[in-house]
Amino acid sequence: MKGIRRGVWLAALALLGTGCGEREALELAPGLVAQAQAQTEEAQADTQTEDLMKPRPVAKPVGLALEVDNGVGTPLRVRAGQTFFINQIDLRAAITATEDRGVDGLRRTGDFASLAWQGTALADADPTFSLNADQTTYTRRRFYRSSHWMQKPSIITVMPVDARGRPTGRVIPLNLGSEDRRKFSDDFFIRRMRAIQWTRDCGSATSCAGAHAFEEEALVEVRNARTGATTFSLSPDTRALLVDWTARSGAPYRIPVEQVQSSTWSYGFNIDITPVTPPRADGTYAPGSEVTFRMTFRDGAGKRLHPEGSLPTYNEFLSGQVESGLQYYRGFSDAATTYYRRKHRECNLSASIIGPAQSIQPLRNIVEMEDFLGPEESISIGTPERDGVYAQAMTVPPANKLFGGAYDPTHAGWDAPVRDTFTNKLPLNAEPGTYLVTVKARRIYLGEDVAASRTIEIQVGTRQHTEVELTTGKCATCHTEGGELGKVLHALDNRATCATCHAPLAFELEGPIAVRTHFVHSRGRFDAPLQQCSSCHVKQETTQRTSKSACLSCHTSYPESHVQKFGPIQHMYVGGGRESFQQCTGACHKTHPGSGF
């Protein structure tokens, strides 16, 4: 249309310029000129409409994610004219080695060599080795903490500069605090500093004798800026951010900055879930029926991030073709580890259903790897007969394509089309009540790294709304000032939905939410005494189910009598192997010293 309008207008101008006077031209082609004028006015109106619809800087400050890898800043593209605050910083230094030195090589070479490494100690070791892609060797992980640079309070400053390195704005100070939050007020809710040794060529699942492929890695992770974070905007001549850290002061990192004037999408991230399968006349779904849902991902202004009916393929994501910033699982190239390594960057997009609400409880039966690689897209997590609750989950792309592609040399599953719908088959014996349907995802776009979740309810077998009775609570006592559950993790504050996906997985036994909560809070900066179970548990009886996973997800040791009876600790998250979720006994541990009950 624009080309046609331009042609008509040029034709009219040509008539005006053939030697005839303006009056003669108008007499010769009054219709043509009138059409040109009308179409010009229409084009101007269209342009104004298009300008109004173009994504503009949003009023709310946008949280930026900064990253430096081995001294090199990851280039940052941002929307010009936007107001920002620093919400996330990831610093990483890594070296390789051919002999087992723990992480001692990091103090001699690499980007963190100048840090104070005194006091470094092995904190946790995972003797459960993971099978490598070659199907013949295994990887072992060891986790180190307590270095002086990890313990000592430190400051990061961020200064915008032009192409010549001259300041273009004020310096932004960021307080990283210390391991003990109570002793030093910091600017981020989550602060984690550690070192990891990876042994990548262990000959068996229990021994690394003769190994010679080691990686030593040090990480700084701070995220979820506290309420009241310093906001700033970038002047048009800003070309980089200089990031200086007092732990290695005087050697600032340079993060290149590109400011874009217009963008296809806006900042922000929202999710819609719409039932495609209509309910019965009374608004309920019948047990035994299949229910399909559509998930729609949008930016903060409500614009779709994908066409209706489809989502990007996994290979499109891997090759950087997803301009909207919608993320898929990144664990194949950037392995995440509960608490110790970049779990926020795993970016596993998933959809799930659990119910009925009144029966929701922790799931302790192990989900096998075969369930992820089987023919069904939705994975059965819980069944009424076995678990007392129905739960299904689906990764996006589906696990049989996502993880199946990793084991397929051709990676054919990674090219498979991806739908924006998922289907759950309700069991014939589904208990009547309210069922919770959830989609969680992550988006990284123009410097913003943000999670989003959405939960809707459906009624199965009854119109009567039913409620979940959670055994833990009081989370908001600590999760405040930027650390609210609606902002951290999956940005999901409905804890009733957590049990759906967080069951023990054969390849990730630490999956259950109770295990992760115990582990993270016992190793992290939890303010209350660890033995005080009443800080989180609402009833004493909820602390009395004893198992290896319940006890050893928090405790790092147990008495020799327990070693003799239950075996040595073999897993840093759950204590042992597949038996770790079975109840040890109903006769012991009726009380916990200092529990508060």
Side-chain angles (χ1 to χ4, degrees), residues 400-535:
N400 52 13
K401 304 292 193 304
L402 178 62
F403 296 104
Y407 290 97
D408 174 11
T410 67
H411 301 301
W414 291 358
D415 271 326
V418 182
R419 299 191 304 273
D420 63 357
T421 58
F422 58 98
T423 300
N424 299 110
K425 175 68 179 295
L426 299 172
L428 285 169
N429 61 341
E431 184 181 354
T434 301
Y435 286 61
L436 308 180
V437 182
T438 300
V439 174
K440 74 171 187 71
R442 201 168 189 96
R443 184 188 185 211
I444 301 176
Y445 185 69
L446 292 184
E448 181 184 45
D449 183 345
V450 61
S453 297
R454 177 74 186 279
T455 297
I456 65 170
E457 297 178 348
I458 63 170
Q459 294 299 127
V460 176
T462 179
R463 296 177 61 184
Q464 180 67 40
H465 188 272
T466 58
E467 300 282 350
V468 63
E469 184 180 356
L470 296 174
T471 60
T472 57
K474 310 176 186 177
C475 302
T477 302
C478 299
H479 283 271
T480 59
E481 299 181 0
E484 294 84 354
L485 295 184
K487 295 180 180 179
V488 300
L489 305 173
H490 309 309
L492 178 60
D493 59 4
N494 188 340
R495 294 186 296 116
T497 67
C498 297
T500 320
C501 299
H502 285 286
L505 310 178
F507 55 89
E508 192 177 66
L509 290 178
E510 71 270 18
I513 193 65
V515 170
R516 295 195 177 191
T517 301
H518 281 175
F519 192 91
V520 170
H521 287 76
S522 65
R523 268 77 171 173
R525 300 187 294 167
F526 185 53
D527 287 346
L530 291 178
Q531 69 272 20
Q532 190 172 308
C533 308
S534 61
S535 298

Side-chain angles (χ1 to χ4, degrees), residues 16 21-31 33-34 37:
L16 291 172
E22 183 177 345
R23 184 184 303 274
E24 291 172 308
L26 293 175
E27 289 174 351
L28 286 170
V33 174
Q37 290 174 333

Side-chain angles (χ1 to χ4, degrees), residues 187-208:
D187 288 329
F188 296 92
F189 184 79
I190 294 174
R191 173 196 187 274
R192 292 174 186 169
M193 302 186 184
R194 69 268 295 114
I196 306 173
Q197 184 206 47
W198 303 76
T199 308
R200 302 194 182 278
D201 61 342
C202 299
S204 73
T206 58
S207 174
C208 291

Side-chain angles (χ1 to χ4, degrees), residues 381-392:
I381 307 294
T383 65
E385 304 88 351
R386 186 189 65 190
D387 304 284
V389 67
Y390 162 74
Q392 278 195 340

Side-chain angles (χ1 to χ4, degrees), residues 45-253:
D46 284 351
T47 300
Q48 292 172 355
T49 301
E50 289 173 4
D51 287 341
L52 289 173
M53 294 181 65
K54 285 181 180 178
R56 296 174 178 272
V58 297
K60 185 178 180 180
V62 170
L64 287 182
L66 308 183
E67 181 177 0
V68 177
D69 188 49
N70 275 327
V72 180
T74 300
L76 192 65
R77 296 182 74 242
V78 300
R79 186 73 161 82
Q82 180 63 54
T83 301
F84 301 103
F85 65 94
I86 306 299
N87 191 54
Q88 180 177 302
I89 301 175
D90 283 285
L91 308 179
R92 175 180 177 270
I95 62 172
T96 58
T98 58
E99 57 181 342
D100 186 353
R101 302 175 302 189
V103 292
D104 197 53
L106 288 169
R107 72 170 69 210
R108 298 187 177 92
T109 185
D111 187 54
F112 282 11
S114 63
L115 301 185
W117 284 93
Q118 304 93 317
T120 304
L122 180 67
D124 279 303
D126 190 359
T128 306
F129 303 168
S130 57
L131 183 64
N132 295 326
D134 61 14
Q135 301 290 298
T136 60
T137 59
Y138 295 80
T139 292
R140 179 186 66 190
R141 304 170 298 176
R142 289 174 171 169
F143 305 94
Y144 295 80
R145 300 181 66 178
S146 302
S147 304
H148 285 192
W149 70 266
M150 301 177 191
Q151 303 280 60
K152 185 179 178 180
S154 62
I155 302 288
I156 280 182
T157 58
V158 179
M159 182 173 68
V161 296
D162 64 12
R164 297 174 62 182
R166 297 173 301 188
T168 59
R170 57 178 173 163
V171 174
I172 303 140
L174 300 164
N175 186 345
L176 270 59
S178 66
E179 285 291 274
D180 190 340
R181 184 188 307 150
R182 293 167 292 185
K183 291 182 179 179
F184 205 82
S185 177
D186 53 3
D187 288 329
F188 296 92
F189 184 79
I190 294 174
R191 173 196 187 274
R192 292 174 186 169
M193 302 186 184
R194 69 268 295 114
I196 306 173
Q197 184 206 47
W198 303 76
T199 308
R200 302 194 182 278
D201 61 342
C202 299
S204 73
T206 58
S207 174
C208 291
H212 60 270
F214 299 91
E215 181 181 16
E216 302 173 29
E217 180 183 45
L219 298 165
V220 174
E221 302 174 18
V222 291
R223 55 188 183 273
N224 294 97
R226 293 193 177 278
T227 303
T230 300
T231 59
F232 62 95
S233 57
L234 299 175
S235 68
D237 56 343
T238 298
R239 295 294 180 270
L241 298 178
L242 296 187
V243 179
D244 200 1
W245 180 26
T246 56
R248 54 187 303 281
S249 185
Y253 300 114

